[in-house]
Amino acid sequence: MNETKVPMESKILQVARYLETGQISQHQIAAACHVSKNLVSTVSQKMHAMNWKAADVEAMSKEERINNFRRADQPKEEGRKQKDYEEPDYEHYCQELLKPGVTKALLHEEYVEHCTLAGTVPLQLTQFKEHLGEHLRKKAFSEIIQHKPADETEVDWTGDPAKWTDPDTGEVQYGWLFVGVLPFSGYGYAEVFPDMTLPNWIAAHVHMFNYFGGFTRVLVCDNLKTGVIKHPATGDVILQSDYEAFGNYYGMAICPARVRKPDDKGTVEGTVKIFETHILAKLRNFQCFSMREYNEEVLKQLKIINDKPFQKKEGSRTSTFEKYEKAELIPLPSVPYEYFIKKKAKVYKNCCIAYGKNYYSVPYQFIGERVTLRVYNDRLEVYAGDTKLCEHPLIRGHIGRYAIDNSHLPPNSSRYGDWNSTCLKRWAETYGPYTYEVVDRIFRNGGAEQKFYNGVISLLKLADSYTPARVEKACQLALNHYKRPTYRNIKAILNSRQDMVEIINSAVNKSSPVENEENACIRGAAYYAKKK
């Protein structure tokens, strides 16, 4: 409970009354009246010199009491010089304090310099800091003390999963909410992904920076295994190579929080709790049938959270971000970072490399060489060392397809190398006219002939497992049923022995009924007698 402040003239009267009793010392009087011992001594000397009693002191007015018992070395109130201090422009200094390296002491030096030029009296450093701190607490600048705008971003996953229903199977599908936040303004980002693997982890960062419209100098993350390989108590942190490459691409320092030190990323820890309540819990009964639909609703709830006014200061996360932080973000690169998988592949004689059971052409000069593949989400790039050779759209949902660029093929490619259409047709001709016709129709299908090499060679090599005669017969049957027979059609006929039906039937018809009866396996009475 706050005590009422006792005026000085009342304290002087109390001191006079205690002195008149003479029962306690001046030290005890000073403690009882909450005054200095000097004041008690001054009142005692004055009362003794003027022969005043406590009643005489009580009869004095307020001004008389103050003036009569003033120490000789203390100036009078009316003689004290009043200084007119220049009030600082706190709003301006708050804006300046947002900039990197600016401190209150530096701002005070600039304030003193301004006052000197203007001929006014400046506040001292202690008073300046106190008044500026008071202004910061009242305005939306409270985070300045701990964080600088656009200085760092904190990221994490939520612990609880998001849920939606698969429209085809009716099964419940689960996803995980990625959370990113700018500690200065509290401006956040959220998006659901099907898992926490490295490709989705990096994609989440890229989407977050696009949402913010820029990125920060420092990224603070958790010690998840997809991004951090080792974080010793002493020594260097070892990041996953692709995650480190992502940070290097943006020129950003990735600083994992210390192990078991959640305060290192306290802002995102608090934001995770907010998002779990106001996004995941709020959408617990939301009916949707895809992750895309769920994320559309997440963005709506995210906007509500960012736009919600602060409870204890002016503005909101969005307004603070727009006013103080957005302009300080580092601009995004013209081409966003893309995660890719590296693979090694050999260029075959048909000028193609194989990936995902599909084929992509490469310049013919690299036939027989080993090249490096960079497989992105939507395309495949081929490199020889650090030199990019070519690029193809990634084939999805199909097997055995070819992506051929005619410029990759050698001049007069039909006569190039050991394998070409002419050579393969000659090979087919040795089996018979029907095999030759099948191979010829395959090459007349259109497009670069190189994309048919593997299929034709596989067809002709069926003779290794069967015989050239059976392959020829299978081709004859296939031509009766298909306009353009393929390797798959021919192999199906051979596996089912359809080419052998006529041979078996003719053999049966040539044998006589008597021969058939003689060769028949008939169990007589003797057989069944033995069983008994």
Side-chain angles (χ1 to χ4, degrees):
M1 182 180 294
N2 295 330
E3 297 182 359
T4 304
K5 187 176 181 179
V6 180
M8 181 55 68
E9 62 271 15
S10 299
K11 290 182 178 182
I12 292 174
L13 178 60
Q14 290 177 357
V15 170
R17 287 172 177 170
Y18 279 122
L19 289 171
E20 190 173 6
T21 62
Q23 296 179 354
I24 58 177
S25 66
Q26 291 188 9
H27 179 79
Q28 292 172 324
I29 294 173
C33 298
H34 301 289
V35 295
S36 66
K37 291 185 290 183
N38 288 336
L39 178 61
V40 176
S41 177
T42 301
V43 173
S44 176
Q45 293 174 8
K46 192 76 173 180
M47 290 178 66
H48 185 269
M50 303 299 295
N51 199 22
W52 285 338
K53 303 292 183 183
D56 298 326
V57 176
E58 186 177 0
M60 297 178 187
S61 65
K62 171 185 174 181
E63 290 78 10
E64 286 176 340
R65 260 186 234 165
I66 295 294
N67 292 328
N68 287 335
F69 295 101
R70 185 184 303 279
R71 297 201 317 267
D73 60 339
Q74 186 176 358
K76 295 184 178 180
E77 189 73 24
E78 58 270 20
R80 183 180 296 174
K81 184 178 180 181
Q82 299 295 326
K83 295 184 179 180
D84 294 326
Y85 294 98
E86 180 172 339
E87 192 74 10
D89 184 354
Y90 296 116
E91 191 70 25
H92 168 71
Y93 290 127
C94 285
Q95 296 285 352
E96 291 298 308
L97 198 57
L98 299 176
K99 298 177 181 179
V102 178
T103 63
K104 291 180 181 178
L106 176 63
L107 293 177
H108 179 259
E109 290 178 9
E110 296 175 355
Y111 162 70
V112 170
E113 184 178 344
H114 166 75
C115 292
T116 302
L117 295 175
T120 55
V121 181
L123 294 172
Q124 296 301 311
L125 177 60
T126 303
Q127 294 173 310
F128 178 83
K129 287 184 176 181
E130 182 179 344
H131 294 323
L132 183 58
E134 177 111 20
H135 187 79
L136 291 172
R137 287 189 289 273
K138 293 179 180 178
K139 300 294 181 181
F141 297 95
S142 61
E143 292 299 324
I144 292 176
I145 301 172
Q146 293 85 16
H147 303 287
K148 291 289 184 180
D151 187 51
E152 66 179 35
T153 307
E154 297 179 9
V155 293
D156 203 355
W157 295 101
T158 59
D160 298 326
K163 303 176 184 178
W164 63 90
T165 305
D166 189 304
D168 298 324
T169 64
E171 296 179 353
V172 176
Q173 303 293 318
Y174 295 93
W176 304 95
L177 188 69
F178 170 84
V179 177
V181 63
L182 297 168
F184 171 79
S185 61
Y187 193 67
Y189 175 75
E191 184 178 356
V192 171
F193 288 87
D195 53 50
M196 300 183 188
T197 56
L198 183 63
N200 289 329
W201 176 243
I202 292 178
H205 287 63
V206 175
H207 297 173
M208 174 185 66
F209 292 146
N210 290 338
Y211 183 81
F212 292 159
F215 62 95
T216 58
R217 301 166 183 81
V218 178
L219 179 71
V220 181
C221 65
D222 202 357
N223 289 279
L224 71 169
K225 289 299 182 182
T226 51
V228 181
I229 295 176
K230 190 176 182 181
H231 191 171
T234 58
D236 295 332
V237 176
I238 302 175
L239 300 175
Q240 204 279 345
S241 58
D242 292 315
Y243 195 37
E244 186 174 17
F246 160 76
N248 293 338
Y249 184 84
Y250 285 93
M252 176 175 54
I254 299 178
C255 303
R258 291 173 295 171
V259 178
R260 297 180 182 177
K261 298 290 183 181
D263 289 346
D264 286 1
K265 52 183 180 65
T267 305
V268 75
E269 293 288 349
T271 305
V272 163
K273 294 178 181 178
I274 294 172
F275 284 8
E276 285 181 339
T277 300
H278 295 280
I279 295 180
L280 294 179
K282 197 168 185 178
L283 299 180
R284 66 189 184 280
N285 298 321
F286 176 68
Q287 293 293 324
C288 67
F289 302 98
S290 69
M291 189 173 66
R292 179 184 58 80
E293 291 181 20
Y294 195 97
N295 275 324
E296 288 176 356
E297 195 63 27
V298 167
L299 286 176
K300 294 178 184 178
Q301 299 302 324
L302 178 64
K303 187 176 188 308
I304 293 174
I305 294 172
N306 285 332
D307 292 346
K308 185 178 181 180
F310 292 124
Q311 293 182 351
K312 297 182 179 180
K313 56 184 179 182
E314 298 177 2
S316 64
R317 293 175 175 85
T318 301
S319 64
T320 306
F321 169 76
E322 294 285 345
K323 187 173 182 181
Y324 304 112
E325 194 160 27
K326 187 174 183 179
E328 300 295 327
L329 291 171
I330 302 172
L332 294 169
S334 56
V335 179
Y337 180 83
E338 291 184 89
Y339 175 77
F340 60 86
I341 301 171
K342 277 188 177 182
K343 296 282 186 181
K344 291 287 185 179
K346 183 178 180 179
V347 182
Y348 298 132
K349 292 181 179 181
N350 61 354
C351 303
C352 293
I353 53 92
Y355 176 77
K357 297 184 179 180
N358 292 300
Y359 302 91
Y360 303 85
S361 66
V362 177
Y364 70 91
Q365 293 89 343
F366 295 90
I367 289 176
E369 300 288 336
R370 292 191 66 82
V371 293
T372 303
L373 310 182
R374 290 188 182 182
V375 185
Y376 294 87
N377 186 51
D378 59 346
R379 68 187 187 280
L380 178 145
E381 296 179 355
V382 183
Y383 286 80
D386 295 330
T387 305
K388 182 178 177 180
L389 302 181
C390 58
E391 177 182 323
H392 294 280
L394 199 61
I395 301 173
R396 293 188 180 276
H398 300 283
I399 294 176
R401 296 291 181 90
Y402 283 78
I404 300 293
D405 185 340
N406 290 330
S407 65
H408 295 164
L409 306 180
N412 302 319
S413 59
S414 61
R415 298 189 299 277
Y416 183 85
D418 297 332
W419 298 111
N420 53 55
S421 60
T422 304
C423 176
L424 293 173
K425 286 178 183 179
R426 283 201 303 266
W427 185 5
E429 199 170 16
T430 62
Y431 290 11
Y434 297 111
T435 306
Y436 176 86
E437 181 63 23
V438 169
V439 171
D440 185 58
R441 289 189 185 185
I442 291 175
F443 280 115
R444 281 188 283 140
N445 239 357
E449 67 175 39
Q450 281 77 5
K451 68 181 182 180
F452 303 117
Y453 286 173
N454 283 351
V456 171
I457 293 172
S458 298
L459 187 155
L460 296 174
K461 288 183 73 66
L462 286 172
D464 296 343
S465 302
Y466 304 96
T467 63
R470 288 192 62 186
V471 173
E472 172 71 6
K473 186 61 179 179
C475 289
Q476 180 184 359
L477 294 175
L479 289 169
N480 294 333
H481 294 89
Y482 304 101
K483 186 177 181 180
R484 291 187 179 89
T486 63
Y487 162 78
R488 187 176 298 177
N489 303 139
I490 307 300
K491 187 175 182 180
I493 292 173
L494 293 170
N495 284 341
S496 61
R497 299 175 63 87
Q498 295 178 39
D499 60 301
M500 301 292 290
V501 172
E502 292 185 11
I503 299 174
I504 295 171
N505 290 338
S506 62
V508 171
N509 292 334
K510 287 180 181 179
S511 62
S512 63
V514 177
E515 290 176 343
N516 291 340
E517 289 182 7
E518 291 178 354
N519 295 329
C521 182
I522 301 174
R523 297 172 184 173
Y527 172 80
Y528 292 101
K530 289 179 182 178
K531 291 194 71 174
K532 293 180 180 180

